Amino acid sequence: MPASPSSLTIRSAMNTDDSRVWEILHAVVERGDSFAFDPALSREEGLAWWNQPHGHRYVAELDGRIVGAYIIKPNQPGPGSHVANASYMVAPESRGHRIGFQLGEHSLAEARRLGFRAMQFNLVVATNEPAVRLWKSLGFTILATLPGVFHHPQRGYVDAYVMLYTL
């Protein structure tokens, strides 16, 4: 059954959430089809990325269990820091319930609240059709296609998109 907005809670992440976030991140990264991380990413490396400085971390809970998460941060330092960048993950068993959509909506509101002027995704894998559909449905536009920049484990070298949403 799809997660309704009233049953899904999105909140700031705490350090006590790290174990569950690592489980979800590991499950997403090990597939090798959407994140530009080595599928053999270690727990230490993954949590160092998750707990990076200047990142604002959030988790989505459904019935008291974390089912998704995202981090929002400046896309670039200094003169580029007014543009946000974000990464999202949804637990494999929770996909198809609009959790990604709700995380996306929440992140855009948070980006505005944090004073960002836009949100840019630097690498949306073109073969990740659910993600591309999701970001387009939330108003992102494809600014550029980067030919063959992502090495997909089944499809070989595939395109990726740079996508932007102006806040």
Side-chain angles (χ1 to χ4, degrees), residues 5 13 49 63 72 101 157:
W49 169 81
D63 299 325
I72 187 171
F101 182 85
Y157 294 98

Side-chain angles (χ1 to χ4, degrees), residues 85-167:
N85 177 266
S87 296
Y88 307 80
M89 56 189 122
V90 174
E93 69 275 9
S94 299
R95 290 197 185 109
H97 298 285
R98 297 183 51 85
I99 293 166
F101 182 85
Q102 291 175 69
L103 289 171
E105 281 187 322
H106 189 273
S107 70
L108 293 173
E110 281 298 287
R112 279 186 199 93
R113 186 186 70 75
L114 292 166
F116 290 107
R117 296 177 47 97
M119 185 174 299
Q120 179 177 322
F121 298 149
N122 301 320
L123 191 87
V124 179
V125 180
T127 55
N128 187 354
E129 293 169 4
V132 174
R133 266 193 317 275
L134 168 62
W135 303 129
K136 284 182 172 182
S137 77
L138 285 170
F140 282 80
T141 57
I142 295 173
L143 295 181
T145 300
L146 307 172
V149 300
F150 187 85
H151 191 207
H152 192 284
Q154 287 82 37
R155 298 181 183 189
Y157 294 98
V158 299
D159 297 348
Y161 300 129
V162 175
M163 299 183 81
L164 183 77
Y165 181 94
T166 301
L167 299 163

Side-chain angles (χ1 to χ4, degrees), residues 21-52 69-71 73 85-89 122-125 149-153:
V21 168
W22 165 247
E23 289 174 14
I24 297 170
L25 178 61
H26 182 258
V28 171
V29 169
E30 77 176 346
R31 289 192 333 255
D33 62 356
S34 59
F35 269 58
F37 290 130
D38 182 339
L41 181 76
S42 73
R43 176 185 171 92
E44 293 74 28
E45 292 167 323
L47 289 177
W49 169 81
W50 173 248
N51 290 303
Q52 65 187 275
Y70 77 89
I71 184 170
K73 60 186 178 50
N85 177 266
S87 296
Y88 307 80
M89 56 189 122
N122 301 320
L123 191 87
V124 179
V125 180
V149 300
F150 187 85
H151 191 207
H152 192 284

